[in-house]
Amino acid sequence: MIIAVMSAISVTGRALFVITPGFKPVAAIAAITGFSLGAEAGFLTGAISALVSNMFFGQGPWTPFQMFMWGMIGFIGGLLGRTGIMHKKIPLILFGIFAGILFSFGMDIWGTMSLYGVFSMEAYIVALTSAVPFTIVYAVSNVIFLLILARPIREKLERINNKYGTFQ
């Protein structure tokens, strides 16, 4: 139930920011879930968020790549959450930048393969280069959403986890 609620928050956030390309809270919500509840919960939140939000924005062959990339951001967030370091601002900022770059690099793999039918390093480099503005916007949005949402959501998730022992 908790993962469904976190995914719903993520999908709603993506819908609210539909007019701003690249400025989305999905990676931040998946990461915060991972920080608080573990790698598996973070992965599921990211993957489900992509699948469900694409029911509104359009499913396609890119959906599994989005599911994997946002899921991995949540998973990595869960691994880092075990260290306790994600309670500080500098690590949150660095993770937000990392998540923006990781998502863009991963989606550019799909873009290259869909355009050429196979992976081409030359085409991938072109895709990465042309995606720089999007990557910057996405990384900045991750940082903003993490700085605003990490503490209040983490506190609520940890309270639920402590009370009910849902993710041990």
Side-chain angles (χ1 to χ4, degrees):
M1 182 65 121
I2 297 168
I3 292 169
V5 170
M6 294 307 295
S7 297
I9 292 169
S10 179
V11 169
T12 302
R14 188 173 179 204
L16 285 173
F17 290 94
V18 70
I19 61 171
T20 54
F23 197 89
K24 311 285 181 237
V26 180
I29 299 295
I32 293 166
T33 304
F35 299 156
S36 305
L37 304 177
E40 296 86 357
F43 184 88
L44 287 171
T45 299
I48 292 168
S49 297
L51 181 65
V52 173
S53 65
N54 280 355
M55 290 180 187
F56 300 105
F57 299 111
Q59 298 288 356
W62 56 85
T63 300
F65 281 83
Q66 287 178 324
M67 292 173 68
F68 180 73
M69 294 314 301
W70 277 325
M72 285 308 296
I73 290 167
F75 187 83
I76 294 167
L79 296 178
L80 291 172
R82 291 181 185 174
T83 66
I85 196 168
M86 300 314 291
H87 293 247
K88 300 175 181 167
K89 285 186 181 183
I90 298 300
L92 277 178
I93 291 168
L94 294 175
F95 185 82
I97 294 167
F98 165 77
I101 293 169
L102 178 67
F103 184 79
S104 184
F105 279 31
M107 290 308 296
D108 287 338
I109 291 171
W110 169 81
T112 301
M113 290 177 18
S114 69
L115 189 59
Y116 294 100
V118 295
F119 183 78
S120 161
M121 185 54 82
E122 295 81 19
Y124 183 62
I125 292 170
V126 170
L128 289 175
T129 304
S130 66
V132 167
F134 173 83
T135 304
I136 291 170
V137 169
Y138 195 59
V140 168
S141 77
N142 289 340
V143 169
I144 291 169
F145 286 119
L146 283 170
L147 289 176
I148 293 171
L149 300 175
R151 184 174 180 201
I153 292 176
R154 188 183 66 244
E155 288 173 354
K156 309 254 182 313
L157 290 176
E158 288 174 357
R159 189 182 60 135
I160 291 167
N161 195 30
N162 289 336
K163 184 174 183 176
Y164 297 107
T166 51
F167 295 89
Q168 298 297 333

